[in-house]
Amino acid sequence: MRPPNLIYALDDRPSPSIGTLLGLQHVSIVAIAFVFPVLLVRETGGTTLEASFMVSMSMLAGAVGVVVQALKRGPLGSGYLCPQVCGPSFLTASLLAAHAGGLPLVLGMTMFAGAFEALLSRVLHKLRFLFPAEVTGVIVSMVGITVIAVAGKNFLGFERGGNAIDPSSLTVAMITLLTMIGLNVWSKGNLKLFCILVGMLVGYGAAMTVGLLPVDELTQTLSQPIVWNPFAHHPGWSFDIALTGPFAVAVLCSMLKSVGDLTTCQRINKTNWVRPDMENIRKGVLGDATGCFAAGVFGGMAQSTSSANIGLSIATKATSRTLSLFIGGILALLAFCPKLAAIFAVMPAPVVGATLFFALSFMIVAGVQIMTSRMLDARKTFVIGLSIIAGLLVDVLPEAFTAVPPILQPVFSSSLSACTITAVLLNLIFRIGIKHSVRITISKNDPIGEIITQFMDKQGAAWGARPEIIARASTAVMEYLEALREAYDPNPATVQVSFDELHLKIQILHQGTPLPIPEQRPTPETLLESEKGMTLMGAWMCARLTDNITSTTFNGQAVVKMHWEH
């Protein structure tokens, strides 16, 4: 069902002019991550030409990734608008490769990373237990939290003022952010759609006014060639089996983040979303692997799904998969036109910070919504809390992890990777001791409502079930037991509950025959005149609260089975 709050939903087709402008907004977010390949080349003493080559090839790989990800049919792609960026999860492993064998080794290991992720995607549907809502939700939120440090330094102007706030940078950043927020909250139509693009243009103007975008930088930008052939500068490929470990860990971290990103795409595009569609995510991860592999082939940095771009889609309420064609087309054009690409390269730091703050606000909240879509008990609280603490510990005390073995460095290279691995491991540990089938016996004088509510709430939280399903199930069981008590001199009844993430099943066992389930609601006359009127009403309400209910008698014992899709 089409979400009513979207301006351009998944299957909508915006006009070419609207699509181009929305595509430019997404490309402006993607461009922020081009700092990673530049940093990678600089760290190894590379030339400006090598940096330009790697940025251009990263653009081309991103173009392939966003188009493939939006494919609706076939084995590749989730069918959602989910652009790719140079993956921060791969930075540490890529630096190890660059120091060991230069750019050729980085590209060869990037191809390995794409192939390994493609292999993992084939078995992803069998690993659903690794991705409950609390794990995917905490990863999605942590993506935003991880970038706060980088965004904050740009927002406050630390590059200009050292560790002190630069007033000019802060002013430009505030003007940019307030423009974006104002247009998003209080405007309508195209101004709301293009709130980031307009805000960035205002930010560029403000930066020029206060001297944060010098004229000589713009002149240097315009001096770039209009067209070039980056493939002529390709350095080739090499491979080192010793680096497969660090890159495998980086792939795992990146893939789990992609699972969270694709889950968010499902949630914002489906009004009745209840759980991750693992088959769709499996295809999406394979599409993500395709973009990563393409980066290795072309000569770019490893690619990963972009949480910030999904946040942009939420903010602008435009999730049309058609936009992937515009984004891919713009990125491909920029890959061969350095004069145009350089416009994004000179983006003022405070504009970068403001844009990130705006987009990541939506991403952090999206993660919280995923986490709270399920009931939480002490186990899940520890999974969420300890994972966030482990992630932030890497940022707060980075010196504590400097001596870890090289194979584990990708895990502790960022708060996101540390949080992700911690969440997965804690989820596996805390699954120990959770029974998937439990039972309780209700005696003659027991308070039905109190006992059933406490029992179901406790189990629902342990299983991470949806609150509304547990509420319906609790009420259905209470209605049946209350009606049973009205109808007969009750013997003890046993309630057996089982859960497997996709289904909630309840069996009620008691002596005698099961209550008759009326197909229609009892009439007022039946309620007033029949001794069994209230019993029939309770049984009818019980049936209305379930997705399916059946009853049989076996060896003199009634067996009532209730079922809910989860």
PDB file of all heavy atoms in Angstrom, residues 67-95:
ATOM      1  N   VAL A  67      21.718   2.134  -9.607  1.00  0.00           N
ATOM      2  CA  VAL A  67      20.802   1.630 -10.630  1.00  0.00           C
ATOM      3  C   VAL A  67      20.490   0.156 -10.399  1.00  0.00           C
ATOM      4  O   VAL A  67      19.327  -0.268 -10.468  1.00  0.00           O
ATOM      5  CB  VAL A  67      21.383   1.865 -12.043  1.00  0.00           C
ATOM      6  CG1 VAL A  67      20.505   1.188 -13.093  1.00  0.00           C
ATOM      7  CG2 VAL A  67      21.494   3.356 -12.337  1.00  0.00           C
ATOM      8  N   VAL A  68      21.521  -0.636 -10.123  1.00  0.00           N
ATOM      9  CA  VAL A  68      21.318  -2.063  -9.868  1.00  0.00           C
ATOM     10  C   VAL A  68      20.435  -2.271  -8.643  1.00  0.00           C
ATOM     11  O   VAL A  68      19.541  -3.129  -8.634  1.00  0.00           O
ATOM     12  CB  VAL A  68      22.676  -2.778  -9.685  1.00  0.00           C
ATOM     13  CG1 VAL A  68      22.473  -4.183  -9.124  1.00  0.00           C
ATOM     14  CG2 VAL A  68      23.415  -2.845 -11.012  1.00  0.00           C
ATOM     15  N   GLN A  69      20.655  -1.475  -7.602  1.00  0.00           N
ATOM     16  CA  GLN A  69      19.865  -1.629  -6.372  1.00  0.00           C
ATOM     17  C   GLN A  69      18.384  -1.365  -6.604  1.00  0.00           C
ATOM     18  O   GLN A  69      17.523  -1.965  -5.942  1.00  0.00           O
ATOM     19  CB  GLN A  69      20.391  -0.657  -5.310  1.00  0.00           C
ATOM     20  CG  GLN A  69      19.804  -0.852  -3.929  1.00  0.00           C
ATOM     21  CD  GLN A  69      20.136  -2.198  -3.331  1.00  0.00           C
ATOM     22  OE1 GLN A  69      19.299  -3.099  -3.311  1.00  0.00           O
ATOM     23  NE2 GLN A  69      21.356  -2.345  -2.847  1.00  0.00           N
ATOM     24  N   ALA A  70      18.058  -0.512  -7.543  1.00  0.00           N
ATOM     25  CA  ALA A  70      16.660  -0.148  -7.789  1.00  0.00           C
ATOM     26  C   ALA A  70      15.938  -1.115  -8.720  1.00  0.00           C
ATOM     27  O   ALA A  70      14.744  -0.938  -8.976  1.00  0.00           O
ATOM     28  CB  ALA A  70      16.589   1.269  -8.365  1.00  0.00           C
ATOM     29  N   LEU A  71      16.644  -2.139  -9.239  1.00  0.00           N
ATOM     30  CA  LEU A  71      15.997  -3.090 -10.142  1.00  0.00           C
ATOM     31  C   LEU A  71      14.870  -3.811  -9.416  1.00  0.00           C
ATOM     32  O   LEU A  71      15.034  -4.324  -8.313  1.00  0.00           O
ATOM     33  CB  LEU A  71      17.016  -4.099 -10.670  1.00  0.00           C
ATOM     34  CG  LEU A  71      18.122  -3.544 -11.579  1.00  0.00           C
ATOM     35  CD1 LEU A  71      19.093  -4.647 -11.960  1.00  0.00           C
ATOM     36  CD2 LEU A  71      17.519  -2.902 -12.825  1.00  0.00           C
ATOM     37  N   LYS A  72      13.719  -3.868 -10.081  1.00  0.00           N
ATOM     38  CA  LYS A  72      12.522  -4.425  -9.441  1.00  0.00           C
ATOM     39  C   LYS A  72      12.414  -5.927  -9.625  1.00  0.00           C
ATOM     40  O   LYS A  72      11.849  -6.627  -8.787  1.00  0.00           O
ATOM     41  CB  LYS A  72      11.281  -3.730 -10.024  1.00  0.00           C
ATOM     42  CG  LYS A  72       9.987  -4.050  -9.316  1.00  0.00           C
ATOM     43  CD  LYS A  72       8.838  -3.255  -9.920  1.00  0.00           C
ATOM     44  CE  LYS A  72       7.530  -3.542  -9.210  1.00  0.00           C
ATOM     45  NZ  LYS A  72       6.405  -2.765  -9.800  1.00  0.00           N
ATOM     46  N   ARG A  73      12.949  -6.441 -10.714  1.00  0.00           N
ATOM     47  CA  ARG A  73      12.833  -7.878 -11.020  1.00  0.00           C
ATOM     48  C   ARG A  73      14.226  -8.486 -11.186  1.00  0.00           C
ATOM     49  O   ARG A  73      15.196  -7.791 -11.430  1.00  0.00           O
ATOM     50  CB  ARG A  73      12.013  -8.086 -12.295  1.00  0.00           C
ATOM     51  CG  ARG A  73      10.567  -7.616 -12.165  1.00  0.00           C
ATOM     52  CD  ARG A  73       9.797  -7.882 -13.460  1.00  0.00           C
ATOM     53  NE  ARG A  73       8.400  -7.492 -13.338  1.00  0.00           N
ATOM     54  CZ  ARG A  73       7.940  -6.272 -13.552  1.00  0.00           C
ATOM     55  NH1 ARG A  73       8.779  -5.314 -13.897  1.00  0.00           N
ATOM     56  NH2 ARG A  73       6.661  -5.997 -13.405  1.00  0.00           N
ATOM     57  N   GLY A  74      14.255  -9.799 -11.063  1.00  0.00           N
ATOM     58  CA  GLY A  74      15.514 -10.505 -11.236  1.00  0.00           C
ATOM     59  C   GLY A  74      16.223 -10.734  -9.912  1.00  0.00           C
ATOM     60  O   GLY A  74      15.746 -10.336  -8.836  1.00  0.00           O
ATOM     61  N   PRO A  75      17.390 -11.366  -9.968  1.00  0.00           N
ATOM     62  CA  PRO A  75      18.116 -11.727  -8.728  1.00  0.00           C
ATOM     63  C   PRO A  75      18.866 -10.579  -8.096  1.00  0.00           C
ATOM     64  O   PRO A  75      19.301 -10.686  -6.953  1.00  0.00           O
ATOM     65  CB  PRO A  75      19.092 -12.800  -9.224  1.00  0.00           C
ATOM     66  CG  PRO A  75      19.368 -12.426 -10.651  1.00  0.00           C
ATOM     67  CD  PRO A  75      18.079 -11.863 -11.183  1.00  0.00           C
ATOM     68  N   LEU A  76      19.033  -9.467  -8.831  1.00  0.00           N
ATOM     69  CA  LEU A  76      19.824  -8.343  -8.334  1.00  0.00           C
ATOM     70  C   LEU A  76      18.925  -7.196  -7.921  1.00  0.00           C
ATOM     71  O   LEU A  76      17.986  -6.836  -8.632  1.00  0.00           O
ATOM     72  CB  LEU A  76      20.781  -7.840  -9.422  1.00  0.00           C
ATOM     73  CG  LEU A  76      22.095  -8.583  -9.640  1.00  0.00           C
ATOM     74  CD1 LEU A  76      22.837  -7.965 -10.801  1.00  0.00           C
ATOM     75  CD2 LEU A  76      22.952  -8.540  -8.402  1.00  0.00           C
ATOM     76  N   GLY A  77      19.217  -6.581  -6.789  1.00  0.00           N
ATOM     77  CA  GLY A  77      18.560  -5.346  -6.407  1.00  0.00           C
ATOM     78  C   GLY A  77      17.305  -5.540  -5.574  1.00  0.00           C
ATOM     79  O   GLY A  77      16.531  -6.477  -5.779  1.00  0.00           O
ATOM     80  N   SER A  78      17.110  -4.618  -4.625  1.00  0.00           N
ATOM     81  CA  SER A  78      15.946  -4.667  -3.738  1.00  0.00           C
ATOM     82  C   SER A  78      14.729  -3.996  -4.334  1.00  0.00           C
ATOM     83  O   SER A  78      13.615  -4.185  -3.851  1.00  0.00           O
ATOM     84  CB  SER A  78      16.298  -3.973  -2.418  1.00  0.00           C
ATOM     85  OG  SER A  78      16.585  -2.594  -2.640  1.00  0.00           O
ATOM     86  N   GLY A  79      14.923  -3.173  -5.388  1.00  0.00           N
ATOM     87  CA  GLY A  79      13.813  -2.426  -5.955  1.00  0.00           C
ATOM     88  C   GLY A  79      13.573  -1.095  -5.263  1.00  0.00           C
ATOM     89  O   GLY A  79      12.603  -0.403  -5.567  1.00  0.00           O
ATOM     90  N   TYR A  80      14.469  -0.713  -4.336  1.00  0.00           N
ATOM     91  CA  TYR A  80      14.312   0.539  -3.602  1.00  0.00           C
ATOM     92  C   TYR A  80      15.366   1.561  -4.014  1.00  0.00           C
ATOM     93  O   TYR A  80      16.419   1.215  -4.543  1.00  0.00           O
ATOM     94  CB  TYR A  80      14.430   0.292  -2.094  1.00  0.00           C
ATOM     95  CG  TYR A  80      13.307  -0.523  -1.520  1.00  0.00           C
ATOM     96  CD1 TYR A  80      13.530  -1.819  -1.062  1.00  0.00           C
ATOM     97  CD2 TYR A  80      12.009  -0.006  -1.439  1.00  0.00           C
ATOM     98  CE1 TYR A  80      12.499  -2.579  -0.537  1.00  0.00           C
ATOM     99  CE2 TYR A  80      10.982  -0.762  -0.918  1.00  0.00           C
ATOM    100  CZ  TYR A  80      11.222  -2.048  -0.469  1.00  0.00           C
ATOM    101  OH  TYR A  80      10.194  -2.797   0.041  1.00  0.00           O
ATOM    102  N   LEU A  81      15.043   2.823  -3.751  1.00  0.00           N
ATOM    103  CA  LEU A  81      16.014   3.895  -3.942  1.00  0.00           C
ATOM    104  C   LEU A  81      16.968   3.865  -2.757  1.00  0.00           C
ATOM    105  O   LEU A  81      16.613   4.257  -1.642  1.00  0.00           O
ATOM    106  CB  LEU A  81      15.307   5.249  -4.026  1.00  0.00           C
ATOM    107  CG  LEU A  81      16.218   6.480  -4.113  1.00  0.00           C
ATOM    108  CD1 LEU A  81      17.042   6.450  -5.394  1.00  0.00           C
ATOM    109  CD2 LEU A  81      15.409   7.761  -4.011  1.00  0.00           C
ATOM    110  N   CYS A  82      18.173   3.373  -2.985  1.00  0.00           N
ATOM    111  CA  CYS A  82      19.155   3.217  -1.899  1.00  0.00           C
ATOM    112  C   CYS A  82      20.548   3.430  -2.487  1.00  0.00           C
ATOM    113  O   CYS A  82      21.245   2.468  -2.823  1.00  0.00           O
ATOM    114  CB  CYS A  82      19.021   1.837  -1.257  1.00  0.00           C
ATOM    115  SG  CYS A  82      20.026   1.592   0.219  1.00  0.00           S
ATOM    116  N   PRO A  83      20.971   4.694  -2.649  1.00  0.00           N
ATOM    117  CA  PRO A  83      22.273   4.977  -3.274  1.00  0.00           C
ATOM    118  C   PRO A  83      23.434   4.408  -2.481  1.00  0.00           C
ATOM    119  O   PRO A  83      23.313   4.067  -1.300  1.00  0.00           O
ATOM    120  CB  PRO A  83      22.319   6.511  -3.293  1.00  0.00           C
ATOM    121  CG  PRO A  83      20.892   6.939  -3.226  1.00  0.00           C
ATOM    122  CD  PRO A  83      20.218   5.918  -2.365  1.00  0.00           C
ATOM    123  N   GLN A  84      24.574   4.315  -3.163  1.00  0.00           N
ATOM    124  CA  GLN A  84      25.806   3.834  -2.535  1.00  0.00           C
ATOM    125  C   GLN A  84      26.803   4.980  -2.401  1.00  0.00           C
ATOM    126  O   GLN A  84      26.774   5.943  -3.179  1.00  0.00           O
ATOM    127  CB  GLN A  84      26.443   2.722  -3.367  1.00  0.00           C
ATOM    128  CG  GLN A  84      25.699   1.398  -3.319  1.00  0.00           C
ATOM    129  CD  GLN A  84      26.475   0.294  -4.010  1.00  0.00           C
ATOM    130  OE1 GLN A  84      27.076   0.497  -5.053  1.00  0.00           O
ATOM    131  NE2 GLN A  84      26.479  -0.888  -3.410  1.00  0.00           N
ATOM    132  N   VAL A  85      27.675   4.851  -1.408  1.00  0.00           N
ATOM    133  CA  VAL A  85      28.765   5.808  -1.211  1.00  0.00           C
ATOM    134  C   VAL A  85      30.050   5.036  -0.928  1.00  0.00           C
ATOM    135  O   VAL A  85      30.023   3.814  -0.718  1.00  0.00           O
ATOM    136  CB  VAL A  85      28.481   6.772  -0.034  1.00  0.00           C
ATOM    137  CG1 VAL A  85      27.295   7.653  -0.323  1.00  0.00           C
ATOM    138  CG2 VAL A  85      28.266   5.986   1.264  1.00  0.00           C
ATOM    139  N   CYS A  86      31.160   5.745  -0.915  1.00  0.00           N
ATOM    140  CA  CYS A  86      32.422   5.131  -0.502  1.00  0.00           C
ATOM    141  C   CYS A  86      32.280   4.716   0.959  1.00  0.00           C
ATOM    142  O   CYS A  86      32.082   5.561   1.834  1.00  0.00           O
ATOM    143  CB  CYS A  86      33.567   6.121  -0.672  1.00  0.00           C
ATOM    144  SG  CYS A  86      33.825   6.657  -2.370  1.00  0.00           S
ATOM    145  N   GLY A  87      32.354   3.406   1.214  1.00  0.00           N
ATOM    146  CA  GLY A  87      32.002   2.880   2.523  1.00  0.00           C
ATOM    147  C   GLY A  87      33.039   3.159   3.592  1.00  0.00           C
ATOM    148  O   GLY A  87      34.189   2.707   3.480  1.00  0.00           O
ATOM    149  N   PRO A  88      32.667   3.873   4.664  1.00  0.00           N
ATOM    150  CA  PRO A  88      33.621   4.107   5.754  1.00  0.00           C
ATOM    151  C   PRO A  88      34.054   2.815   6.445  1.00  0.00           C
ATOM    152  O   PRO A  88      35.135   2.773   7.040  1.00  0.00           O
ATOM    153  CB  PRO A  88      32.841   5.016   6.715  1.00  0.00           C
ATOM    154  CG  PRO A  88      31.401   4.830   6.365  1.00  0.00           C
ATOM    155  CD  PRO A  88      31.368   4.518   4.911  1.00  0.00           C
ATOM    156  N   SER A  89      33.235   1.759   6.357  1.00  0.00           N
ATOM    157  CA  SER A  89      33.607   0.483   6.974  1.00  0.00           C
ATOM    158  C   SER A  89      34.861  -0.107   6.342  1.00  0.00           C
ATOM    159  O   SER A  89      35.569  -0.907   6.965  1.00  0.00           O
ATOM    160  CB  SER A  89      32.451  -0.525   6.845  1.00  0.00           C
ATOM    161  OG  SER A  89      31.286  -0.039   7.455  1.00  0.00           O
ATOM    162  N   PHE A  90      35.144   0.285   5.092  1.00  0.00           N
ATOM    163  CA  PHE A  90      36.284  -0.281   4.365  1.00  0.00           C
ATOM    164  C   PHE A  90      37.558   0.547   4.502  1.00  0.00           C
ATOM    165  O   PHE A  90      38.595   0.158   3.957  1.00  0.00           O
ATOM    166  CB  PHE A  90      35.942  -0.420   2.883  1.00  0.00           C
ATOM    167  CG  PHE A  90      34.899  -1.450   2.590  1.00  0.00           C
ATOM    168  CD1 PHE A  90      33.574  -1.080   2.414  1.00  0.00           C
ATOM    169  CD2 PHE A  90      35.226  -2.789   2.493  1.00  0.00           C
ATOM    170  CE1 PHE A  90      32.603  -2.023   2.142  1.00  0.00           C
ATOM    171  CE2 PHE A  90      34.266  -3.750   2.222  1.00  0.00           C
ATOM    172  CZ  PHE A  90      32.950  -3.370   2.048  1.00  0.00           C
ATOM    173  N   LEU A  91      37.494   1.690   5.190  1.00  0.00           N
ATOM    174  CA  LEU A  91      38.633   2.608   5.183  1.00  0.00           C
ATOM    175  C   LEU A  91      39.877   1.975   5.813  1.00  0.00           C
ATOM    176  O   LEU A  91      40.966   2.019   5.235  1.00  0.00           O
ATOM    177  CB  LEU A  91      38.273   3.902   5.912  1.00  0.00           C
ATOM    178  CG  LEU A  91      39.382   4.964   5.947  1.00  0.00           C
ATOM    179  CD1 LEU A  91      39.793   5.360   4.539  1.00  0.00           C
ATOM    180  CD2 LEU A  91      38.925   6.192   6.740  1.00  0.00           C
ATOM    181  N   THR A  92      39.718   1.363   6.997  1.00  0.00           N
ATOM    182  CA  THR A  92      40.887   0.796   7.672  1.00  0.00           C
ATOM    183  C   THR A  92      41.514  -0.338   6.868  1.00  0.00           C
ATOM    184  O   THR A  92      42.738  -0.387   6.686  1.00  0.00           O
ATOM    185  CB  THR A  92      40.484   0.282   9.069  1.00  0.00           C
ATOM    186  OG1 THR A  92      39.969   1.373   9.840  1.00  0.00           O
ATOM    187  CG2 THR A  92      41.685  -0.320   9.795  1.00  0.00           C
ATOM    188  N   ALA A  93      40.675  -1.264   6.369  1.00  0.00           N
ATOM    189  CA  ALA A  93      41.204  -2.376   5.575  1.00  0.00           C
ATOM    190  C   ALA A  93      41.862  -1.857   4.301  1.00  0.00           C
ATOM    191  O   ALA A  93      42.911  -2.368   3.869  1.00  0.00           O
ATOM    192  CB  ALA A  93      40.087  -3.353   5.235  1.00  0.00           C
ATOM    193  N   SER A  94      41.286  -0.830   3.687  1.00  0.00           N
ATOM    194  CA  SER A  94      41.855  -0.268   2.464  1.00  0.00           C
ATOM    195  C   SER A  94      43.193   0.406   2.741  1.00  0.00           C
ATOM    196  O   SER A  94      44.119   0.343   1.917  1.00  0.00           O
ATOM    197  CB  SER A  94      40.879   0.730   1.832  1.00  0.00           C
ATOM    198  OG  SER A  94      39.684   0.085   1.421  1.00  0.00           O
ATOM    199  N   LEU A  95      43.315   1.050   3.899  1.00  0.00           N
ATOM    200  CA  LEU A  95      44.596   1.663   4.262  1.00  0.00           C
ATOM    201  C   LEU A  95      45.678   0.600   4.453  1.00  0.00           C
ATOM    202  O   LEU A  95      46.831   0.787   4.044  1.00  0.00           O
ATOM    203  CB  LEU A  95      44.434   2.495   5.538  1.00  0.00           C
ATOM    204  CG  LEU A  95      43.761   3.864   5.382  1.00  0.00           C
ATOM    205  CD1 LEU A  95      43.469   4.471   6.744  1.00  0.00           C
ATOM    206  CD2 LEU A  95      44.632   4.807   4.556  1.00  0.00           C
TER     207      LEU A  95
END
